Amino acid sequence: MSTVLSLIIPCYNEENTIEICVERTLQIHKNQCFALELIIIDDASTDKSFEKINALAEKYTEIKILKHSKNKGKGASLRSGFGAATGDYIGIQDADEEYNPLEYVTLVKTMISENADVVYGSRYLQRNSQQVFPFVHTLANKSLTTLSNIITRLRLTDMETCYKLFRKEVIHTIAPTLKENRFGFEPEVTIKIAQNGYKIHECAISYNPRTRKEGKKIGWKDGVRTLYCLVRYGLFG
């Protein structure tokens, strides 16, 4: 039986990008030694996202659909997806075009070669060329990652990255303990990985940031919530 990679795709009002995202993600299993399972969670979208997801599911057998009756947030969508995932490895894919799904080939290879429990795809590890990101976002991300490292005693370069890959047994153990419904998922899951002593690695990935005008949903309030989560889960359990 071949290895299965499950990717959880939370979707809220992404009618302009969800089709492109899925088509790109489905390219992962071409010439690879693992099968693919896509679990798309529509988080009560108010645009045509759900109609487009349904059309994609009719076209591709790899897709499973979950739907929330009301908007709950990315963290809540991920918990729904983790519960439905059956793959040997379970990762996260946003429904936009900021990340290249083909990078998951590298994450899976890193997990296998390093015998890791968790692999993060870092936007800030050095590659052949220097990528340029918005200054404020970079400063915020690096500051939060530094604080996370102090609390967890890890040496991550990108705690806030979307690309997080888990062995099935790891995320199925952690997921029932998760509480954050929005982007507080990132610090909460990182802290619980550290607290449970799981072996974590990073590998470099590419990144194409979008603006709020283009649909980016994370904002300064989420940064404040991240600070709260680092203190709440890191210092008080």
Side-chain angles (χ1 to χ4, degrees), residues 2-38:
S2 63
T3 299
V4 177
L5 170 64
S6 296
L7 290 181
I8 314 303
I9 307 178
C11 179
Y12 176 65
N13 289 351
E14 297 288 3
E15 65 177 359
N16 294 324
T17 59
I18 185 62
E19 292 172 306
I20 297 172
C21 169
V22 169
E23 296 284 354
R24 293 176 72 198
T25 303
L26 286 168
Q27 295 177 21
I28 293 174
H29 60 47
K30 290 185 178 180
N31 302 316
Q32 298 302 322
C33 58
F34 47 82
L36 191 63
E37 174 185 65
L38 303 186

PDB file of all heavy atoms in Angstrom, residues 2-38:
ATOM      1  N   SER A   2       0.567   2.217  -0.849  1.00  0.00           N
ATOM      2  CA  SER A   2       1.402   3.412  -0.956  1.00  0.00           C
ATOM      3  C   SER A   2       1.164   4.360   0.202  1.00  0.00           C
ATOM      4  O   SER A   2       0.110   4.355   0.832  1.00  0.00           O
ATOM      5  CB  SER A   2       1.111   4.142  -2.274  1.00  0.00           C
ATOM      6  OG  SER A   2      -0.229   4.597  -2.302  1.00  0.00           O
ATOM      7  N   THR A   3       2.166   5.179   0.473  1.00  0.00           N
ATOM      8  CA  THR A   3       2.056   6.210   1.498  1.00  0.00           C
ATOM      9  C   THR A   3       1.075   7.275   1.042  1.00  0.00           C
ATOM     10  O   THR A   3       1.021   7.633  -0.138  1.00  0.00           O
ATOM     11  CB  THR A   3       3.438   6.843   1.741  1.00  0.00           C
ATOM     12  OG1 THR A   3       4.336   5.834   2.195  1.00  0.00           O
ATOM     13  CG2 THR A   3       3.350   7.951   2.773  1.00  0.00           C
ATOM     14  N   VAL A   4       0.282   7.798   1.988  1.00  0.00           N
ATOM     15  CA  VAL A   4      -0.721   8.820   1.651  1.00  0.00           C
ATOM     16  C   VAL A   4      -0.376  10.134   2.337  1.00  0.00           C
ATOM     17  O   VAL A   4      -0.110  10.169   3.546  1.00  0.00           O
ATOM     18  CB  VAL A   4      -2.140   8.370   2.081  1.00  0.00           C
ATOM     19  CG1 VAL A   4      -3.155   9.477   1.781  1.00  0.00           C
ATOM     20  CG2 VAL A   4      -2.530   7.076   1.390  1.00  0.00           C
ATOM     21  N   LEU A   5      -0.379  11.227   1.577  1.00  0.00           N
ATOM     22  CA  LEU A   5      -0.213  12.580   2.098  1.00  0.00           C
ATOM     23  C   LEU A   5      -1.576  13.256   2.116  1.00  0.00           C
ATOM     24  O   LEU A   5      -2.219  13.408   1.068  1.00  0.00           O
ATOM     25  CB  LEU A   5       0.748  13.378   1.210  1.00  0.00           C
ATOM     26  CG  LEU A   5       0.839  14.887   1.479  1.00  0.00           C
ATOM     27  CD1 LEU A   5       1.396  15.160   2.876  1.00  0.00           C
ATOM     28  CD2 LEU A   5       1.697  15.577   0.417  1.00  0.00           C
ATOM     29  N   SER A   6      -2.039  13.634   3.299  1.00  0.00           N
ATOM     30  CA  SER A   6      -3.291  14.384   3.426  1.00  0.00           C
ATOM     31  C   SER A   6      -2.965  15.860   3.591  1.00  0.00           C
ATOM     32  O   SER A   6      -2.131  16.219   4.433  1.00  0.00           O
ATOM     33  CB  SER A   6      -4.086  13.921   4.652  1.00  0.00           C
ATOM     34  OG  SER A   6      -4.495  12.588   4.525  1.00  0.00           O
ATOM     35  N   LEU A   7      -3.613  16.708   2.813  1.00  0.00           N
ATOM     36  CA  LEU A   7      -3.442  18.155   2.960  1.00  0.00           C
ATOM     37  C   LEU A   7      -4.778  18.776   3.338  1.00  0.00           C
ATOM     38  O   LEU A   7      -5.795  18.573   2.664  1.00  0.00           O
ATOM     39  CB  LEU A   7      -2.912  18.775   1.674  1.00  0.00           C
ATOM     40  CG  LEU A   7      -1.462  18.435   1.327  1.00  0.00           C
ATOM     41  CD1 LEU A   7      -1.039  19.123   0.032  1.00  0.00           C
ATOM     42  CD2 LEU A   7      -0.514  18.821   2.453  1.00  0.00           C
ATOM     43  N   ILE A   8      -4.768  19.532   4.430  1.00  0.00           N
ATOM     44  CA  ILE A   8      -5.960  20.207   4.934  1.00  0.00           C
ATOM     45  C   ILE A   8      -5.991  21.614   4.343  1.00  0.00           C
ATOM     46  O   ILE A   8      -5.034  22.385   4.509  1.00  0.00           O
ATOM     47  CB  ILE A   8      -5.945  20.292   6.471  1.00  0.00           C
ATOM     48  CG1 ILE A   8      -5.551  18.948   7.092  1.00  0.00           C
ATOM     49  CG2 ILE A   8      -7.290  20.772   6.985  1.00  0.00           C
ATOM     50  CD1 ILE A   8      -6.418  17.787   6.707  1.00  0.00           C
ATOM     51  N   ILE A   9      -7.089  21.960   3.669  1.00  0.00           N
ATOM     52  CA  ILE A   9      -7.197  23.252   2.992  1.00  0.00           C
ATOM     53  C   ILE A   9      -8.387  24.033   3.556  1.00  0.00           C
ATOM     54  O   ILE A   9      -9.531  23.837   3.128  1.00  0.00           O
ATOM     55  CB  ILE A   9      -7.358  23.084   1.471  1.00  0.00           C
ATOM     56  CG1 ILE A   9      -6.245  22.197   0.911  1.00  0.00           C
ATOM     57  CG2 ILE A   9      -7.368  24.450   0.777  1.00  0.00           C
ATOM     58  CD1 ILE A   9      -6.361  21.941  -0.587  1.00  0.00           C
ATOM     59  N   PRO A  10      -8.153  24.920   4.532  1.00  0.00           N
ATOM     60  CA  PRO A  10      -9.245  25.778   5.013  1.00  0.00           C
ATOM     61  C   PRO A  10      -9.574  26.813   3.936  1.00  0.00           C
ATOM     62  O   PRO A  10      -8.677  27.359   3.299  1.00  0.00           O
ATOM     63  CB  PRO A  10      -8.649  26.465   6.252  1.00  0.00           C
ATOM     64  CG  PRO A  10      -7.363  25.740   6.534  1.00  0.00           C
ATOM     65  CD  PRO A  10      -6.903  25.174   5.238  1.00  0.00           C
ATOM     66  N   CYS A  11     -10.860  27.073   3.749  1.00  0.00           N
ATOM     67  CA  CYS A  11     -11.247  28.016   2.702  1.00  0.00           C
ATOM     68  C   CYS A  11     -12.353  28.936   3.195  1.00  0.00           C
ATOM     69  O   CYS A  11     -13.420  28.467   3.614  1.00  0.00           O
ATOM     70  CB  CYS A  11     -11.724  27.251   1.464  1.00  0.00           C
ATOM     71  SG  CYS A  11     -12.251  28.304   0.103  1.00  0.00           S
ATOM     72  N   TYR A  12     -12.091  30.235   3.144  1.00  0.00           N
ATOM     73  CA  TYR A  12     -13.118  31.222   3.454  1.00  0.00           C
ATOM     74  C   TYR A  12     -13.036  32.352   2.441  1.00  0.00           C
ATOM     75  O   TYR A  12     -12.052  33.089   2.385  1.00  0.00           O
ATOM     76  CB  TYR A  12     -12.943  31.771   4.872  1.00  0.00           C
ATOM     77  CG  TYR A  12     -13.936  32.876   5.199  1.00  0.00           C
ATOM     78  CD1 TYR A  12     -15.302  32.602   5.263  1.00  0.00           C
ATOM     79  CD2 TYR A  12     -13.507  34.189   5.403  1.00  0.00           C
ATOM     80  CE1 TYR A  12     -16.223  33.606   5.527  1.00  0.00           C
ATOM     81  CE2 TYR A  12     -14.422  35.200   5.671  1.00  0.00           C
ATOM     82  CZ  TYR A  12     -15.772  34.904   5.736  1.00  0.00           C
ATOM     83  OH  TYR A  12     -16.683  35.895   5.986  1.00  0.00           O
ATOM     84  N   ASN A  13     -14.035  32.437   1.594  1.00  0.00           N
ATOM     85  CA  ASN A  13     -14.120  33.482   0.567  1.00  0.00           C
ATOM     86  C   ASN A  13     -12.863  33.542  -0.306  1.00  0.00           C
ATOM     87  O   ASN A  13     -12.217  34.583  -0.432  1.00  0.00           O
ATOM     88  CB  ASN A  13     -14.387  34.841   1.214  1.00  0.00           C
ATOM     89  CG  ASN A  13     -15.802  34.947   1.764  1.00  0.00           C
ATOM     90  OD1 ASN A  13     -16.642  34.082   1.522  1.00  0.00           O
ATOM     91  ND2 ASN A  13     -16.067  36.014   2.501  1.00  0.00           N
ATOM     92  N   GLU A  14     -12.544  32.413  -0.920  1.00  0.00           N
ATOM     93  CA  GLU A  14     -11.383  32.320  -1.808  1.00  0.00           C
ATOM     94  C   GLU A  14     -11.815  31.891  -3.210  1.00  0.00           C
ATOM     95  O   GLU A  14     -11.147  31.091  -3.868  1.00  0.00           O
ATOM     96  CB  GLU A  14     -10.361  31.328  -1.242  1.00  0.00           C
ATOM     97  CG  GLU A  14      -9.763  31.707   0.086  1.00  0.00           C
ATOM     98  CD  GLU A  14      -8.771  32.867   0.010  1.00  0.00           C
ATOM     99  OE1 GLU A  14      -8.585  33.417  -1.101  1.00  0.00           O
ATOM    100  OE2 GLU A  14      -8.195  33.226   1.051  1.00  0.00           O
ATOM    101  N   GLU A  15     -12.941  32.445  -3.688  1.00  0.00           N
ATOM    102  CA  GLU A  15     -13.454  32.034  -4.994  1.00  0.00           C
ATOM    103  C   GLU A  15     -12.474  32.331  -6.133  1.00  0.00           C
ATOM    104  O   GLU A  15     -12.510  31.655  -7.175  1.00  0.00           O
ATOM    105  CB  GLU A  15     -14.795  32.714  -5.282  1.00  0.00           C
ATOM    106  CG  GLU A  15     -14.716  34.222  -5.416  1.00  0.00           C
ATOM    107  CD  GLU A  15     -16.062  34.857  -5.781  1.00  0.00           C
ATOM    108  OE1 GLU A  15     -17.034  34.097  -5.933  1.00  0.00           O
ATOM    109  OE2 GLU A  15     -16.113  36.088  -5.913  1.00  0.00           O
ATOM    110  N   ASN A  16     -11.604  33.313  -5.949  1.00  0.00           N
ATOM    111  CA  ASN A  16     -10.676  33.690  -7.018  1.00  0.00           C
ATOM    112  C   ASN A  16      -9.430  32.814  -7.073  1.00  0.00           C
ATOM    113  O   ASN A  16      -8.712  32.833  -8.078  1.00  0.00           O
ATOM    114  CB  ASN A  16     -10.248  35.152  -6.854  1.00  0.00           C
ATOM    115  CG  ASN A  16     -11.397  36.118  -7.040  1.00  0.00           C
ATOM    116  OD1 ASN A  16     -12.286  35.895  -7.862  1.00  0.00           O
ATOM    117  ND2 ASN A  16     -11.398  37.198  -6.273  1.00  0.00           N
ATOM    118  N   THR A  17      -9.166  32.044  -6.003  1.00  0.00           N
ATOM    119  CA  THR A  17      -7.913  31.289  -5.961  1.00  0.00           C
ATOM    120  C   THR A  17      -8.080  29.800  -5.684  1.00  0.00           C
ATOM    121  O   THR A  17      -7.142  29.043  -5.931  1.00  0.00           O
ATOM    122  CB  THR A  17      -6.981  31.872  -4.873  1.00  0.00           C
ATOM    123  OG1 THR A  17      -7.647  31.810  -3.606  1.00  0.00           O
ATOM    124  CG2 THR A  17      -6.603  33.312  -5.188  1.00  0.00           C
ATOM    125  N   ILE A  18      -9.225  29.348  -5.180  1.00  0.00           N
ATOM    126  CA  ILE A  18      -9.351  27.965  -4.745  1.00  0.00           C
ATOM    127  C   ILE A  18      -9.127  26.970  -5.883  1.00  0.00           C
ATOM    128  O   ILE A  18      -8.489  25.924  -5.694  1.00  0.00           O
ATOM    129  CB  ILE A  18     -10.716  27.708  -4.047  1.00  0.00           C
ATOM    130  CG1 ILE A  18     -10.777  26.290  -3.481  1.00  0.00           C
ATOM    131  CG2 ILE A  18     -11.877  28.000  -4.982  1.00  0.00           C
ATOM    132  CD1 ILE A  18      -9.760  25.990  -2.418  1.00  0.00           C
ATOM    133  N   GLU A  19      -9.623  27.267  -7.081  1.00  0.00           N
ATOM    134  CA  GLU A  19      -9.434  26.345  -8.202  1.00  0.00           C
ATOM    135  C   GLU A  19      -7.964  26.227  -8.583  1.00  0.00           C
ATOM    136  O   GLU A  19      -7.454  25.116  -8.795  1.00  0.00           O
ATOM    137  CB  GLU A  19     -10.258  26.819  -9.403  1.00  0.00           C
ATOM    138  CG  GLU A  19     -11.756  26.710  -9.199  1.00  0.00           C
ATOM    139  CD  GLU A  19     -12.539  27.367 -10.319  1.00  0.00           C
ATOM    140  OE1 GLU A  19     -12.284  28.559 -10.606  1.00  0.00           O
ATOM    141  OE2 GLU A  19     -13.411  26.690 -10.891  1.00  0.00           O
ATOM    142  N   ILE A  20      -7.281  27.361  -8.653  1.00  0.00           N
ATOM    143  CA  ILE A  20      -5.859  27.343  -8.986  1.00  0.00           C
ATOM    144  C   ILE A  20      -5.076  26.590  -7.916  1.00  0.00           C
ATOM    145  O   ILE A  20      -4.197  25.776  -8.223  1.00  0.00           O
ATOM    146  CB  ILE A  20      -5.319  28.781  -9.118  1.00  0.00           C
ATOM    147  CG1 ILE A  20      -6.017  29.509 -10.270  1.00  0.00           C
ATOM    148  CG2 ILE A  20      -3.806  28.782  -9.321  1.00  0.00           C
ATOM    149  CD1 ILE A  20      -5.691  30.988 -10.349  1.00  0.00           C
ATOM    150  N   CYS A  21      -5.410  26.851  -6.656  1.00  0.00           N
ATOM    151  CA  CYS A  21      -4.736  26.191  -5.543  1.00  0.00           C
ATOM    152  C   CYS A  21      -4.878  24.673  -5.653  1.00  0.00           C
ATOM    153  O   CYS A  21      -3.894  23.932  -5.537  1.00  0.00           O
ATOM    154  CB  CYS A  21      -5.308  26.680  -4.221  1.00  0.00           C
ATOM    155  SG  CYS A  21      -4.792  25.719  -2.788  1.00  0.00           S
ATOM    156  N   VAL A  22      -6.088  24.190  -5.878  1.00  0.00           N
ATOM    157  CA  VAL A  22      -6.328  22.749  -5.946  1.00  0.00           C
ATOM    158  C   VAL A  22      -5.621  22.131  -7.146  1.00  0.00           C
ATOM    159  O   VAL A  22      -4.992  21.068  -7.037  1.00  0.00           O
ATOM    160  CB  VAL A  22      -7.839  22.458  -5.996  1.00  0.00           C
ATOM    161  CG1 VAL A  22      -8.103  20.995  -6.337  1.00  0.00           C
ATOM    162  CG2 VAL A  22      -8.478  22.811  -4.660  1.00  0.00           C
ATOM    163  N   GLU A  23      -5.710  22.775  -8.288  1.00  0.00           N
ATOM    164  CA  GLU A  23      -5.047  22.242  -9.494  1.00  0.00           C
ATOM    165  C   GLU A  23      -3.542  22.128  -9.268  1.00  0.00           C
ATOM    166  O   GLU A  23      -2.920  21.126  -9.660  1.00  0.00           O
ATOM    167  CB  GLU A  23      -5.340  23.142 -10.704  1.00  0.00           C
ATOM    168  CG  GLU A  23      -6.806  23.210 -11.120  1.00  0.00           C
ATOM    169  CD  GLU A  23      -7.282  21.966 -11.856  1.00  0.00           C
ATOM    170  OE1 GLU A  23      -6.438  21.092 -12.143  1.00  0.00           O
ATOM    171  OE2 GLU A  23      -8.488  21.876 -12.152  1.00  0.00           O
ATOM    172  N   ARG A  24      -2.946  23.123  -8.648  1.00  0.00           N
ATOM    173  CA  ARG A  24      -1.503  23.086  -8.363  1.00  0.00           C
ATOM    174  C   ARG A  24      -1.179  22.003  -7.341  1.00  0.00           C
ATOM    175  O   ARG A  24      -0.176  21.293  -7.465  1.00  0.00           O
ATOM    176  CB  ARG A  24      -1.024  24.446  -7.840  1.00  0.00           C
ATOM    177  CG  ARG A  24      -1.088  25.572  -8.857  1.00  0.00           C
ATOM    178  CD  ARG A  24      -0.688  26.893  -8.215  1.00  0.00           C
ATOM    179  NE  ARG A  24       0.719  26.957  -7.943  1.00  0.00           N
ATOM    180  CZ  ARG A  24       1.279  27.823  -7.103  1.00  0.00           C
ATOM    181  NH1 ARG A  24       0.519  28.666  -6.423  1.00  0.00           N
ATOM    182  NH2 ARG A  24       2.588  27.842  -6.917  1.00  0.00           N
ATOM    183  N   THR A  25      -2.039  21.870  -6.330  1.00  0.00           N
ATOM    184  CA  THR A  25      -1.791  20.885  -5.284  1.00  0.00           C
ATOM    185  C   THR A  25      -1.869  19.469  -5.824  1.00  0.00           C
ATOM    186  O   THR A  25      -1.089  18.594  -5.417  1.00  0.00           O
ATOM    187  CB  THR A  25      -2.805  21.066  -4.137  1.00  0.00           C
ATOM    188  OG1 THR A  25      -2.726  22.408  -3.643  1.00  0.00           O
ATOM    189  CG2 THR A  25      -2.520  20.109  -3.001  1.00  0.00           C
ATOM    190  N   LEU A  26      -2.766  19.222  -6.757  1.00  0.00           N
ATOM    191  CA  LEU A  26      -2.924  17.883  -7.320  1.00  0.00           C
ATOM    192  C   LEU A  26      -1.717  17.447  -8.141  1.00  0.00           C
ATOM    193  O   LEU A  26      -1.550  16.258  -8.428  1.00  0.00           O
ATOM    194  CB  LEU A  26      -4.190  17.832  -8.183  1.00  0.00           C
ATOM    195  CG  LEU A  26      -5.504  17.816  -7.392  1.00  0.00           C
ATOM    196  CD1 LEU A  26      -6.683  18.066  -8.315  1.00  0.00           C
ATOM    197  CD2 LEU A  26      -5.665  16.493  -6.658  1.00  0.00           C
ATOM    198  N   GLN A  27      -0.858  18.386  -8.487  1.00  0.00           N
ATOM    199  CA  GLN A  27       0.356  18.037  -9.228  1.00  0.00           C
ATOM    200  C   GLN A  27       1.387  17.342  -8.351  1.00  0.00           C
ATOM    201  O   GLN A  27       2.353  16.764  -8.862  1.00  0.00           O
ATOM    202  CB  GLN A  27       0.970  19.296  -9.849  1.00  0.00           C
ATOM    203  CG  GLN A  27       0.104  19.956 -10.905  1.00  0.00           C
ATOM    204  CD  GLN A  27       0.728  21.242 -11.438  1.00  0.00           C
ATOM    205  OE1 GLN A  27       1.930  21.459 -11.323  1.00  0.00           O
ATOM    206  NE2 GLN A  27      -0.090  22.102 -12.009  1.00  0.00           N
ATOM    207  N   ILE A  28       1.182  17.369  -7.035  1.00  0.00           N
ATOM    208  CA  ILE A  28       2.165  16.800  -6.109  1.00  0.00           C
ATOM    209  C   ILE A  28       2.423  15.333  -6.380  1.00  0.00           C
ATOM    210  O   ILE A  28       3.568  14.873  -6.370  1.00  0.00           O
ATOM    211  CB  ILE A  28       1.704  16.977  -4.645  1.00  0.00           C
ATOM    212  CG1 ILE A  28       1.707  18.448  -4.246  1.00  0.00           C
ATOM    213  CG2 ILE A  28       2.600  16.184  -3.688  1.00  0.00           C
ATOM    214  CD1 ILE A  28       1.136  18.704  -2.866  1.00  0.00           C
ATOM    215  N   HIS A  29       1.354  14.565  -6.633  1.00  0.00           N
ATOM    216  CA  HIS A  29       1.555  13.123  -6.711  1.00  0.00           C
ATOM    217  C   HIS A  29       2.073  12.655  -8.067  1.00  0.00           C
ATOM    218  O   HIS A  29       2.290  11.460  -8.261  1.00  0.00           O
ATOM    219  CB  HIS A  29       0.298  12.361  -6.319  1.00  0.00           C
ATOM    220  CG  HIS A  29      -0.912  12.628  -7.167  1.00  0.00           C
ATOM    221  ND1 HIS A  29      -0.897  12.641  -8.529  1.00  0.00           N
ATOM    222  CD2 HIS A  29      -2.196  12.869  -6.814  1.00  0.00           C
ATOM    223  CE1 HIS A  29      -2.108  12.869  -8.994  1.00  0.00           C
ATOM    224  NE2 HIS A  29      -2.920  13.026  -7.967  1.00  0.00           N
ATOM    225  N   LYS A  30       2.280  13.552  -9.006  1.00  0.00           N
ATOM    226  CA  LYS A  30       2.865  13.155 -10.283  1.00  0.00           C
ATOM    227  C   LYS A  30       4.316  12.711 -10.077  1.00  0.00           C
ATOM    228  O   LYS A  30       5.144  13.461  -9.551  1.00  0.00           O
ATOM    229  CB  LYS A  30       2.806  14.306 -11.289  1.00  0.00           C
ATOM    230  CG  LYS A  30       1.388  14.614 -11.776  1.00  0.00           C
ATOM    231  CD  LYS A  30       1.401  15.672 -12.853  1.00  0.00           C
ATOM    232  CE  LYS A  30      -0.018  15.936 -13.362  1.00  0.00           C
ATOM    233  NZ  LYS A  30      -0.029  16.972 -14.427  1.00  0.00           N
ATOM    234  N   ASN A  31       4.607  11.512 -10.476  1.00  0.00           N
ATOM    235  CA  ASN A  31       5.955  10.948 -10.377  1.00  0.00           C
ATOM    236  C   ASN A  31       6.450  10.841  -8.937  1.00  0.00           C
ATOM    237  O   ASN A  31       7.652  10.775  -8.697  1.00  0.00           O
ATOM    238  CB  ASN A  31       6.966  11.783 -11.189  1.00  0.00           C
ATOM    239  CG  ASN A  31       6.586  11.870 -12.646  1.00  0.00           C
ATOM    240  OD1 ASN A  31       6.207  10.873 -13.248  1.00  0.00           O
ATOM    241  ND2 ASN A  31       6.677  13.071 -13.211  1.00  0.00           N
ATOM    242  N   GLN A  32       5.528  10.846  -7.966  1.00  0.00           N
ATOM    243  CA  GLN A  32       5.915  10.676  -6.567  1.00  0.00           C
ATOM    244  C   GLN A  32       5.432   9.306  -6.079  1.00  0.00           C
ATOM    245  O   GLN A  32       4.520   8.714  -6.658  1.00  0.00           O
ATOM    246  CB  GLN A  32       5.329  11.789  -5.694  1.00  0.00           C
ATOM    247  CG  GLN A  32       5.821  13.165  -6.078  1.00  0.00           C
ATOM    248  CD  GLN A  32       7.335  13.298  -6.010  1.00  0.00           C
ATOM    249  OE1 GLN A  32       7.967  12.752  -5.122  1.00  0.00           O
ATOM    250  NE2 GLN A  32       7.912  14.018  -6.943  1.00  0.00           N
ATOM    251  N   CYS A  33       6.024   8.843  -4.972  1.00  0.00           N
ATOM    252  CA  CYS A  33       5.718   7.500  -4.479  1.00  0.00           C
ATOM    253  C   CYS A  33       4.660   7.539  -3.379  1.00  0.00           C
ATOM    254  O   CYS A  33       4.602   6.640  -2.549  1.00  0.00           O
ATOM    255  CB  CYS A  33       6.982   6.814  -3.968  1.00  0.00           C
ATOM    256  SG  CYS A  33       7.819   7.710  -2.647  1.00  0.00           S
ATOM    257  N   PHE A  34       3.840   8.604  -3.341  1.00  0.00           N
ATOM    258  CA  PHE A  34       2.768   8.638  -2.357  1.00  0.00           C
ATOM    259  C   PHE A  34       1.478   9.156  -2.984  1.00  0.00           C
ATOM    260  O   PHE A  34       1.495   9.932  -3.940  1.00  0.00           O
ATOM    261  CB  PHE A  34       3.141   9.483  -1.134  1.00  0.00           C
ATOM    262  CG  PHE A  34       3.733  10.827  -1.447  1.00  0.00           C
ATOM    263  CD1 PHE A  34       2.936  11.912  -1.751  1.00  0.00           C
ATOM    264  CD2 PHE A  34       5.113  11.005  -1.413  1.00  0.00           C
ATOM    265  CE1 PHE A  34       3.486  13.159  -2.019  1.00  0.00           C
ATOM    266  CE2 PHE A  34       5.665  12.247  -1.680  1.00  0.00           C
ATOM    267  CZ  PHE A  34       4.855  13.324  -1.984  1.00  0.00           C
ATOM    268  N   ALA A  35       0.365   8.683  -2.439  1.00  0.00           N
ATOM    269  CA  ALA A  35      -0.950   9.122  -2.896  1.00  0.00           C
ATOM    270  C   ALA A  35      -1.334  10.417  -2.195  1.00  0.00           C
ATOM    271  O   ALA A  35      -0.678  10.834  -1.232  1.00  0.00           O
ATOM    272  CB  ALA A  35      -1.977   8.032  -2.627  1.00  0.00           C
ATOM    273  N   LEU A  36      -2.415  11.033  -2.657  1.00  0.00           N
ATOM    274  CA  LEU A  36      -2.784  12.351  -2.151  1.00  0.00           C
ATOM    275  C   LEU A  36      -4.253  12.366  -1.735  1.00  0.00           C
ATOM    276  O   LEU A  36      -5.122  11.812  -2.410  1.00  0.00           O
ATOM    277  CB  LEU A  36      -2.550  13.403  -3.235  1.00  0.00           C
ATOM    278  CG  LEU A  36      -2.614  14.881  -2.855  1.00  0.00           C
ATOM    279  CD1 LEU A  36      -1.521  15.221  -1.849  1.00  0.00           C
ATOM    280  CD2 LEU A  36      -2.470  15.753  -4.095  1.00  0.00           C
ATOM    281  N   GLU A  37      -4.519  13.012  -0.595  1.00  0.00           N
ATOM    282  CA  GLU A  37      -5.871  13.226  -0.099  1.00  0.00           C
ATOM    283  C   GLU A  37      -6.003  14.710   0.235  1.00  0.00           C
ATOM    284  O   GLU A  37      -5.225  15.240   1.029  1.00  0.00           O
ATOM    285  CB  GLU A  37      -6.111  12.378   1.155  1.00  0.00           C
ATOM    286  CG  GLU A  37      -7.442  12.631   1.839  1.00  0.00           C
ATOM    287  CD  GLU A  37      -7.590  11.848   3.142  1.00  0.00           C
ATOM    288  OE1 GLU A  37      -6.810  12.131   4.090  1.00  0.00           O
ATOM    289  OE2 GLU A  37      -8.457  10.963   3.207  1.00  0.00           O
ATOM    290  N   LEU A  38      -6.982  15.375  -0.373  1.00  0.00           N
ATOM    291  CA  LEU A  38      -7.218  16.795  -0.099  1.00  0.00           C
ATOM    292  C   LEU A  38      -8.520  16.942   0.666  1.00  0.00           C
ATOM    293  O   LEU A  38      -9.574  16.503   0.199  1.00  0.00           O
ATOM    294  CB  LEU A  38      -7.300  17.601  -1.401  1.00  0.00           C
ATOM    295  CG  LEU A  38      -6.109  17.548  -2.353  1.00  0.00           C
ATOM    296  CD1 LEU A  38      -6.325  18.517  -3.507  1.00  0.00           C
ATOM    297  CD2 LEU A  38      -4.816  17.845  -1.634  1.00  0.00           C
TER     298      LEU A  38
END
